[in-house]
Amino acid sequence: MRRFALPVIIALGVAWLFLASPAQAQDDPEDDPEREFVGSRLCMGCHRDVGPAHLESRHALTLSAAADSAVLGDFTQASDALAVQLPGEDAPRAVTLDDIAYAVGTGRTVQRYLVAVEGEAAENETAPTEYLVLPFEWNALSGQWQPYTLTDEWPAPEYDWEDQCAACHVTGYAADEAVWLEDGVQCETCHGPGSDHIAVVRARDASPEDVSASIVLSPDSAICGACHSQGAAADGHPFPVDYVAGENLLDDYSLVPPNDPAHWWPSGHASRKYMQFNEWLNSTHATSLEGLRSSEHAGDACLACHSADGAWALAAAFAAEEGESDAEAEEAPAALTVETAAYGVECVSCHTIHQPATDEDGEPFEFLLSSEPYAMCVACHQDTDVTGVIHAPVKEMYEGETLIDGIEGVPSAHFAAAGGPTCVTCHMPRVPVDAGTRASHAFHPVMPGAALDAATLQDSCSICHADQVDAGALQALIDDIQADTQARLEAARAAITDESPDWVDAALRFVEGDGSLGVHNYVYSDVLLDSVENELGLSDEPGAEDAGNP
């Protein structure tokens, strides 16, 4: 089986998110000013395979009308945090469940609540009922009430639901009128207004291509970034006003700058909530397609790892070759190329939105992930025969697999340790965000040196090694390993001649392609470089000049 089969197979797990058409940019929605939101009920009439699961998802339930089933907080629990003077009342009192209009979120960590402001107290004439976020929240992890403090007073503009929060918790939001079509993040948030799609579907002579082109079926991370980001619209709203899926998110929406200390830790990791898109945009995942195009080894098969839409097209083609009978194989799109692919490694490369509660074995899915995290990372971060040379052998280095004949692999101590770290342990560390933590999407570790001056930020190494050595010494060790490895690589490259055996170049590519300069597995890197140095006569060991391929 071809070596790109693994990432292609994993891509099949998320491919159906794009239904049955190539996941390419759609026509500019602004070209059709008549497009309107129609509501998810119409969508559910046809899309019964994904509809019921979505209705139970965290996205769909990010805003719910107050009811016993939606409200997690125990309003019978005594707490000073519940004492609030509501608009129109003369004194503070304990807020009760009867006061609550909406529950915000499903309580994965916390759940917040809205109270309605009506009549003369409502300032917007087009929306006579307004909502305020209450200054307390339910901590679902501790089962306790706690303050939710945005400023010194309540009510205050910071707690204004419509101006500060609503757009990312509802569907079909009209900021100028402060009204919305549906509670929660429903179908049209990600697929755009559905009026054109409904009209095309109802036309008896519509082709599959027409049906697909009438709705947004794009892997564009900007669709997720509309909410999973920190920034400001031109009018000052903290969300992209009037953005709909398929448009250019950053036309009228500016992300917070990457050097803003109010939003970023010194390590380059975001320090505020909802900044996954900001972090991703700074990562090489976002530029993976551009990186591919700059390579002399670039080929269309490389899209399996370097492009979300390219991976989907390859996955469908692979399924067709294998005789799969599902929709992906039956309606395989035209193959994309390095030149025609449009997207890099996007959110949907790792996350699946239309997700059932359990996998085929009945096990609960990791939250919105298309597969087990380590398997998902190494599906691409491993060597492949596609390039013709050793390329991205992170898995082989970490696990100590043998790639060079005669040089036996050595597993890293981290991989060999029971319950040892995996990719996400170091590359997606949980960083402090507001009152909790969040898995970073910057995809690089918090280095010990970068965390020295941030009291609440723990580096990726000290998570396990704090009792053995201080952060300063850990950073010094990393610096020494990487400097030594880099110097040895440069010396070996300078010493290679036309007579040097091919395995020498392959061994150097192994160490270089791993990308960690020895940190993933210093012992194995050292063994590979020792062998190269012996062959090239660079070793100080006696008899090194006579050494050959070990």
Side-chain angles (χ1 to χ4, degrees), residues 219 280 285-290 305-309 342-346 349:
W280 168 84
H285 278 159
T287 58
S288 61
L289 183 57
E290 290 87 339
C305 286
H306 283 265
S307 169
D309 51 334
Y343 298 98
V345 177
E346 308 290 319
S349 298

Side-chain angles (χ1 to χ4, degrees), residues 489-550:
L489 285 168
E490 291 174 358
R493 283 294 181 195
I496 287 181
T497 68
D498 293 340
E499 286 73 36
S500 300
D502 291 342
W503 72 263
V504 170
D505 177 70
L508 294 178
R509 283 185 178 276
F510 193 173
V511 179
E512 293 164 341
D514 164 62
S516 72
L517 289 176
V519 174
H520 285 157
N521 190 343
Y522 178 72
V523 173
Y524 195 10
S525 298
D526 185 52
V527 168
L528 288 160
L529 291 175
D530 279 348
S531 299
V532 168
E533 289 163 348
N534 287 341
E535 174 65 30
L536 298 177
L538 297 175
S539 175
D540 294 331
E541 297 178 6
E545 63 276 7
D546 298 324
N549 187 3

